[in-house]
Amino acid sequence: MAKNFLFDTAAVDFTRHISLFSGLTDADKDLLLREGSLHCYPRKTILFRHGDPVTHFYVIGSGTIRLFHETAEGCEVTTDILVAGDTLCAADIFSSSELHHSHAAAVNDVTVMKFSIEWLRDATQRHPCIAFNLLAALSKQTQQLKTEAGNQSMMSAMQLTACLLQKICVFHDLDPAGFALPYNKSLVASRIGMKLETLSRTFPKLKDIGIRVEERQVTFVDLPAVKQNVCDHCPGMEQCCAYKALHGTGF
């Protein structure tokens, strides 16, 4: 069960820095934030299910949320993993059906700010920059999905795994010199459309392209080798935040 909290400017400060609010004054942000509510969800909580009516827009403050759907055979396929600073449900709100297109579950304990769908629609009308920021985010999401679909057909299991490990490192602000996976291997496998057994066989092979994996500990021992063997084969490399963070400026 979610725990709800009264509005507290300090508690929701994380919301001020999301890209959706880029271009707004602090005063405008305060007014908008007062229309939201802070909620905490324990791990494994289902926030909503596929087919449910869309009622809220979410901003993640802490923790991890996964989006997934179920196949006809009953298997769960993870379509996205969202972390602090990410937003949730914008595409569903503006879809013709106004229904959720996937399930959403808390991977660990999460804190979110919730806003009504009317709030988002009104905010885009009152503040053109929010509408522009929202369109930019949706465009980026669409491009990411296209890149992932292409990589699924062109990349090897090693390349797909190495690509995701780089994103995990950057999006969770972890140290590439050594970090523990922030969630279990089953979720990692599901995110790249791979069976757990295949992932387990792939992990030891990553040493050949510059990544060492021991149990849940990951170390990037040769970033140039990772770039050469993985990133250089991805058509979305130049737009990839993980690539820019790990290879653009270097560590």
Side-chain angles (χ1 to χ4, degrees):
M1 180 180 294
K3 294 182 180 179
N4 305 341
F5 298 89
L6 296 175
F7 179 85
D8 182 330
T9 301
V12 300
D13 189 58
F14 65 85
T15 317
R16 298 173 180 274
H17 308 295
I18 63 173
S19 59
L20 183 69
F21 287 163
S22 178
L24 291 177
T25 66
D26 287 341
D28 284 337
K29 291 178 183 180
D30 285 341
L31 288 174
L32 288 168
L33 289 175
R34 289 188 177 278
E35 299 180 50
S37 56
L38 188 65
H39 299 257
C40 291
Y41 294 93
R43 63 186 297 267
K44 295 186 177 182
T45 300
I46 300 294
L47 280 71
F48 53 78
R49 296 184 182 279
H50 175 268
D52 287 347
V54 181
T55 59
H56 289 87
F57 173 75
Y58 301 77
V59 179
I60 304 174
S62 63
T64 306
I65 292 175
R66 76 176 180 117
L67 301 181
F68 66 99
H69 65 263
E70 296 168 347
T71 66
E73 294 75 25
C75 299
E76 294 183 357
V77 178
T78 301
T79 54
D80 209 349
I81 299 174
L82 305 176
V83 298
D86 286 337
T87 58
L88 184 58
C89 295
D92 291 350
I93 288 174
F94 290 99
S95 70
S96 58
S97 67
E98 295 187 0
L99 299 176
H100 286 296
H101 297 150
S102 62
H103 308 297
V107 175
N108 41 35
D109 294 347
V110 299
T111 302
V112 301
M113 278 289 288
K114 290 177 63 174
F115 301 91
S116 70
I117 57 175
E118 292 78 16
W119 171 89
L120 183 60
R121 288 169 177 160
D122 181 60
T124 57
Q125 292 180 352
R126 284 189 288 159
H127 303 282
C129 63
I130 290 183
F132 177 81
N133 294 336
L134 187 60
L135 285 172
L138 293 176
S139 175
K140 182 179 179 180
Q141 182 182 47
T142 300
Q143 184 59 47
Q144 176 184 323
L145 291 174
K146 288 177 61 178
T147 299
E148 288 185 3
N151 287 347
Q152 282 285 343
S153 62
M154 295 186 299
M155 284 188 166
S156 67
M158 278 201 306
Q159 289 173 319
L160 290 171
T161 304
C163 177
L164 181 58
L165 291 178
Q166 290 181 88
K167 292 177 179 177
I168 289 173
C169 176
V170 171
F171 295 163
H172 289 274
D173 195 23
L174 301 172
D175 184 356
F179 64 91
L181 285 173
Y183 25 80
N184 62 43
K185 296 178 182 178
S186 296
L187 181 52
V188 174
S190 177
R191 180 65 184 93
I192 48 181
M194 192 180 293
K195 292 184 177 180
L196 182 58
E197 296 81 2
T198 304
L199 181 71
S200 296
R201 291 194 298 268
T202 300
F203 272 163
K205 299 176 183 177
L206 293 177
K207 66 179 183 298
D208 296 333
I209 58 173
I211 304 174
R212 183 172 65 243
V213 181
E214 298 173 339
E215 296 298 329
R216 293 184 57 150
Q217 192 70 19
V218 180
T219 305
F220 291 93
V221 295
D222 190 344
L223 279 172
V226 176
K227 177 182 179 299
Q228 179 181 358
N229 289 282
V230 182
C231 302
D232 287 350
H233 299 268
C234 175
M237 178 181 69
E238 296 298 338
Q239 290 76 43
C240 178
C241 295
Y243 169 79
K244 291 176 182 178
L246 287 174
H247 308 286
T249 57
F251 277 83

